[in-house]
Amino acid sequence: MKANGQSTRSIWLNADGWSVGTIDQTALPHRFVTLTLTTLDDAVHAIKSMQVRGAPLIGATAAYGMCLALRADASDDSLERARAALLSTRPTAINLRWALDEMAAAVRNQPREARVAAAYRRAAEICDQDVAINQAIGRNGLKLIEAIAARRNGQPVNVLTHCNAGWLATVDWGTATAPIYMAHDQGIAIHVWVDETRPRNQGAALTAWELGQHGVKHTVIADNTGGHLMQHGMVDMAIVGTDRVTAQGDVCNKIGTYLKALAAKDNNVPFYVALPSPTIDFSVSDGLTEIPIEQRGAEEQSTMTGRTADGRIETVRVVPDGSAVANYGFDVTPARLVTGLITERGVLEPSRQGLARAFPERAGARG
Ligand code: MRU
């Protein structure tokens, strides 16, 4: 998609053929800063500090982190150390483990001298595959938007989204945003309600930025506003992303997603989840008990960062000194609250049967 008018992906191989470029998402929306990753430690730091974030991009960055580690040392030991270091960065998004398993499978049986090239090949494929998957998600989700647009007589279709499941969170296009970008590009009138997504404000900072860069009309709202809008008929559909979907269709996503799904159910607003198949974890069933929920640092909750009137980036405390804070990064929306799962293989019923029918090769292998 476009950043400052230039087509760009969120991760790329630099002209030197080995170092890795990414966008520092902690600087957005106020500054567009790119990073160069040259070591395993760089990749670990980028994921841990959320310079890169979003389930598919975490996976892609980890894949290139493995390349950088093997470039320094192609031994079995190095491979296992890199895998462990990258796996420990973020616990909830399953794309991380998926990408590391893919990378290990691609290099493990190769002689040492062939490992680096094999790793770079597989990492590039993972990235290209993510783009193709998101385009397919876009085409499948577009049909849902078109159906609503047909009833709206030229009035904009109002879509609510939470967190950032846009191109910044993937390699390109995004998951939740792919149908939105395609609808916009086709001339369908569309408007997006963007949940600010406290505490890190991925909606206000990232989703709003990328929609604005592409010219999509949007309005940033406080996280608690969605229910009110739905009660007043101001939301036609919700589309969110996800960090992990279980075999029975439970959806783990950024904290606050569950409350939006409850409000959507109460107001008959269709609630869709867009996901690439690497986000499905067929090894777990009950999302509530089986998915580890990341608890993040207190400072994310007790402070806010923004730009002052004279252009300085400042962080201010918004909680009294001494108050305890809790910062749960994700929640689980049970499958019964989800209208459909928008995948590269179609819009699926959120159930064991729906997922297994669409991905029999993965459901059978339970991994
Ligand atoms: O903590 P984050 O910012 O990595 O969380 C991101 C989300 O919850 C996204 O919605 C999810 O990863 C889907 S990204 C296509």
Side-chain angles (χ1 to χ4, degrees), residues 259-309:
L259 291 177
K260 284 311 127 67
L262 282 175
K265 187 77 169 179
D266 194 44
N267 291 282
N268 291 318
V269 171
F271 187 89
Y272 289 100
V273 178
L275 65 135
S277 53
T279 303
I280 308 167
D281 183 354
F282 281 103
S283 73
V284 296
S285 287
D286 178 5
L288 272 182
T289 57
E290 295 181 76
I291 298 179
I293 300 293
E294 179 177 10
Q295 293 197 44
R296 299 191 50 81
E299 73 292 343
E300 261 183 12
Q301 182 67 43
S302 58
T303 65
M304 284 185 86
T305 300
R307 191 180 61 198
T308 62

Side-chain angles (χ1 to χ4, degrees), residues 62-79:
Y64 275 118
M66 288 280 264
C67 297
L68 296 171
L70 291 169
R71 192 170 177 271
D73 173 357
S75 67
D76 284 354
D77 248 23
S78 160
L79 175 66

Side-chain angles (χ1 to χ4, degrees), residues 25 50 52-58 90 93 95 134 162-166 169-170 174-176 200 202 206 240-244 252-255 257 274 276 279 294 296 329-330:
Q25 298 191 26
M50 293 180 69
V52 300
R53 43 143 302 284
L57 180 58
I58 290 170
R90 305 236 11 226
N95 306 57
N134 295 337
H162 190 68
C163 194
N164 173 257
T170 66
T175 54
R200 272 190 89 89
Q202 290 97 324
L206 305 176
V240 300
T242 170
D243 292 82
R244 197 186 301 209
C252 184
N253 192 45
K254 182 52 56 189
I255 193 79
T257 302
T279 303
E294 179 177 10
R296 299 191 50 81
F330 300 90

